[in-house]
Amino acid sequence: MTAADVAIYKQDVAEQQSVAKIILGQNICERMLLRGIFVHSAGDYAQLLANFTGLHSSKFVKLMNRDAVALGMHHTRYVDETGIGIGDVSTAQDQTILAVDLMTHEPIVRSIASLTKVWLPQVGVVGTYTPDLGQGGVVGVKSGWTIPAGGCDVMALNIDLNGTVVSTYLVVLGEHSNNSLALSGQVALALYRSLRPSIARVVTPSGVKVEWVGSLSDLATTPSPPT
């Protein structure tokens, strides 16, 4: 960690962002940074991880926006590496697309996102902020909070359908209360419980499949404006 890295950490502390302490000369690996980001929402770790690429911040953010478009996240725009800056916008639908892609194609993300606590250098053992993680089949992914966005929870939940395990994803944004993170998790679980009866293991002529057996009207979505 360089003096510039420590300056990032101190600036985030001054802005009362979620951080993990770093010190000058400290060595830290990519896996540890990912653990701090997913489990402890360390914004300074996100900035450090971007710095590891050797790209200027503006170039890195440009690539973030490029990948968002490629994934079909048409209502998402990033202005910094952390996603919490003024001007960073997205929707529940877009965040679902991102979560499914990461959990499906990045094994390291899936393994880290399921951890309820991790050890971080200069910090020690810290727990997750993500509601209900490790309980009732919840295996990820990430929660967050800002004043304008409120409590947000991207939840991955495994369902066992007579021996066939499938992952479902629920995204709740904009919960405002005295305990908004917990509320976002409660709403995500309530949404899951309301939809669970509509997901079933079905025998078809081509084999056993997991299908939506509920009302087709529940599958119709109208994109909401970015928030």
Side-chain angles (χ1 to χ4, degrees):
M1 295 294 101
T2 67
D5 297 326
V6 175
I8 289 174
Y9 161 71
K10 290 182 177 180
Q11 179 65 31
D12 289 346
V13 170
E15 295 175 357
Q16 297 184 319
Q17 296 185 27
S18 178
V19 297
K21 183 180 179 180
I22 63 169
I23 61 172
L24 186 65
Q26 171 187 340
N27 292 316
I28 191 166
C29 67
E30 181 180 3
R31 183 182 294 271
M32 194 66 71
L33 290 175
L34 287 170
R35 288 181 175 180
I37 292 168
F38 277 95
V39 179
H40 200 56
S41 293
D44 57 329
Y45 272 26
Q47 293 164 290
L48 292 172
L49 186 62
N51 289 345
F52 272 21
T53 66
L55 297 174
H56 188 273
S57 176
S58 61
K59 176 64 174 178
F60 189 88
V61 173
K62 183 178 180 179
L63 293 176
M64 289 170 64
N65 284 306
R66 181 204 65 183
D67 288 350
V69 171
L71 286 170
M73 299 167 61
H74 300 303
H75 299 283
T76 295
R77 178 173 178 269
Y78 298 112
V79 299
D80 68 9
E81 304 95 331
T82 67
I84 64 173
I86 297 175
D88 286 304
V89 294
S90 191
T91 63
Q93 184 174 1
D94 279 7
Q95 290 304 299
T96 304
I97 292 171
L98 179 59
V100 171
D101 184 77
L102 287 173
M103 293 287 279
T104 302
H105 301 298
E106 300 291 347
I108 189 172
V109 170
R110 191 174 189 96
S111 66
I112 291 175
S114 65
L115 299 175
T116 58
K117 59 180 64 175
V118 292
W119 178 89
L120 301 177
Q122 308 302 324
V123 180
V125 177
V126 293
T128 182
Y129 291 119
T130 301
D132 302 296
L133 186 62
Q135 306 176 49
V138 178
V139 293
V141 176
K142 183 76 174 63
S143 63
W145 177 89
T146 65
I147 293 176
C152 305
D153 187 18
V154 180
M155 178 180 288
L157 196 150
N158 284 346
I159 309 174
D160 189 334
L161 301 170
N162 297 321
T164 300
V165 178
V166 296
S167 296
T168 60
Y169 296 85
L170 306 106
V171 178
V172 175
L173 308 178
E175 290 297 337
H176 295 275
S177 71
N178 292 331
N179 196 2
S180 56
L181 272 185
L183 179 60
S184 66
Q186 293 168 12
V187 173
L189 285 177
L191 180 60
Y192 161 73
R193 294 186 184 109
S194 70
L195 298 177
R196 172 62 185 85
S198 297
I199 305 171
R201 186 171 180 266
V202 178
V203 178
T204 70
S206 59
V208 177
K209 296 182 179 180
V210 175
E211 293 186 352
W212 179 265
V213 295
S215 171
L216 293 179
S217 63
D218 290 335
L219 297 178
T221 59
T222 302
S224 56
T227 56

